Amino acid sequence: MNSKSGGSEAAPRHYAQAAATDTVKDLGQDRAHTARVHNYLLGGKNNYRVDRAAGDAVRAAFASISRTVLAGQTYAHRVARHLARQGARQFIELGVGLPPQPYLHDTVQATATADTSTLYIDNDPITEAYADALLTDLRTGRSHAMEADVRDPEGLLAAVREHGGIDLDRPVAVFAHALLDFLLDEEDPHGVVAGLLSSLPAGSCFSLTHSAADLAPEAWTAAADAYRRHGISFHPRTGEEVGRFLTGLDTVGPGLTTAFRWHSGSGESDRARSLVTERQAPLYAGVGRLP
């Protein structure tokens, strides 16, 4: 689904290559995109003026949004290290977005004691082009990118099987970070997740981050309004709603908590975690394992 802020107005090289065969409108460069807004909020340069305008509007509505986004990014690598230490060797990142370095495959390859395979998936052609150009590891050939839509879990899994970079008959860690908030309720995000997990083998893991509507309701409501004014649907959810994504899974680490507090095996100090509060980074995070 959607991928997950300024920099020079000149388009990055891979964007320019894509634009050579498609119009700006066809590629969606004339409107804000979740991946590029997210990149801007993280201080990246893979974004356009329209994305920076959206990011500035969100930041004006929710002053600590960049801290919150960074908490989610930090959690992603923390949980990747944790799962790699526990033996995970296959990773799928849904809605890869335009992340800054280090990338997911860098983290798991640096942590695991054996070869790993990482597959980045997004439904946006620009983001997929970025992933294909920059997130694939040419040294090992074990990091790949492909285009698919999480809203069609059956089709996505079929595409993964056809691609061949991940063996779905063996356990896989699936990451849905900064993704499910951008699915409409009518798109049945809980059904989407259940559909994905129902076809994975025992021992597979599912990790998520999600805006915490009940921890900072005014801030998230204002942020959602700002996103919508720039053409992006955004849906904060409560802890009860987010917890339903992990229904039927065995708890890994501390269970569903806030992203900056999910620290199993992180080696971070209590003092470092105490510098952030739930209101400053109201983002849920959790991971479960298929029994």
Side-chain angles (χ1 to χ4, degrees):
M1 166 57 192
N2 298 356
S3 345
K4 320 173 253 313
S5 203
S8 168
E9 199 59 25
R13 182 171 179 267
H14 49 285
Y15 288 0
Q17 290 173 328
T21 56
D22 296 277
T23 67
V24 166
K25 187 173 182 180
D26 289 340
L27 289 170
Q29 293 161 281
D30 60 331
R31 59 187 181 275
H33 189 278
T34 55
R36 300 191 302 263
V37 174
H38 195 270
N39 176 267
Y40 175 57
L41 292 173
L42 282 170
K45 296 182 178 180
N46 291 311
N47 48 74
Y48 301 110
R49 182 178 297 168
V50 66
D51 307 305
R52 296 193 284 276
D56 288 341
V58 174
R59 188 180 286 123
F62 184 178
S64 64
I65 186 63
S66 289
R67 185 193 296 250
T68 303
V69 171
L70 180 59
Q73 189 77 8
T74 302
Y75 162 79
H77 291 279
R78 187 182 303 150
V79 73
R81 285 191 295 270
H82 179 75
L83 293 178
R85 291 183 185 121
Q86 289 196 331
R89 295 295 179 262
Q90 297 193 112
F91 295 81
I92 293 177
E93 184 167 11
L94 302 172
V96 56
L98 302 171
Q101 289 181 298
Y103 303 130
L104 174 62
H105 68 270
D106 293 326
T107 296
V108 298
Q109 288 176 4
T111 306
T113 57
D115 286 345
T116 63
S117 296
T118 304
L119 180 60
Y120 299 100
I121 300 178
D122 206 285
N123 76 333
D124 174 62
I126 292 181
T127 303
E128 197 276 333
Y130 170 94
D132 191 51
L134 298 182
L135 302 184
T136 52
D137 191 334
L138 300 179
R139 296 167 301 168
T140 67
R142 302 300 298 276
S143 176
H144 311 274
M146 59 172 279
E147 186 176 346
D149 197 321
V150 72
R151 292 170 297 189
D152 176 15
E154 184 177 343
L156 183 148
L157 290 171
V160 171
R161 287 191 182 277
E162 182 177 355
H163 180 276
I166 295 289
D167 180 359
L168 291 180
D169 294 323
R170 297 192 297 116
V172 57
V174 177
F175 289 179
H177 300 152
L179 171 67
L180 298 170
D181 330 50
F182 297 99
L183 287 179
L184 302 168
D185 286 341
E186 49 265 40
E187 292 173 312
D188 189 16
H190 292 95
V192 164
V193 171
L196 285 169
L197 299 183
S198 67
S199 297
L200 298 182
S204 295
C205 294
F206 177 70
S207 173
L208 61 82
T209 63
H210 201 293
S211 50
D214 46 351
L215 297 184
E218 293 181 1
W220 279 124
T221 297
D225 289 343
Y227 272 119
R228 289 173 190 137
R229 289 197 302 273
H230 288 267
I232 296 174
S233 296
F234 181 75
H235 300 271
R237 295 185 171 95
T238 65
E240 186 277 331
E241 292 173 309
V242 176
R244 284 174 52 203
F245 288 114
L246 301 175
T247 298
L249 303 181
D250 294 334
T251 298
V252 175
L256 185 68
T257 183
T258 48
F260 71 91
R261 290 193 186 281
W262 202 102
H263 57 272
S264 180
S266 69
E268 296 172 8
S269 68
D270 290 336
R271 181 179 180 279
R273 291 191 298 275
S274 70
L275 296 178
V276 182
T277 69
E278 269 78 6
R279 289 191 61 82
Q280 291 174 320
L283 186 72
Y284 284 123
V287 56
R289 180 178 286 108
L290 277 165

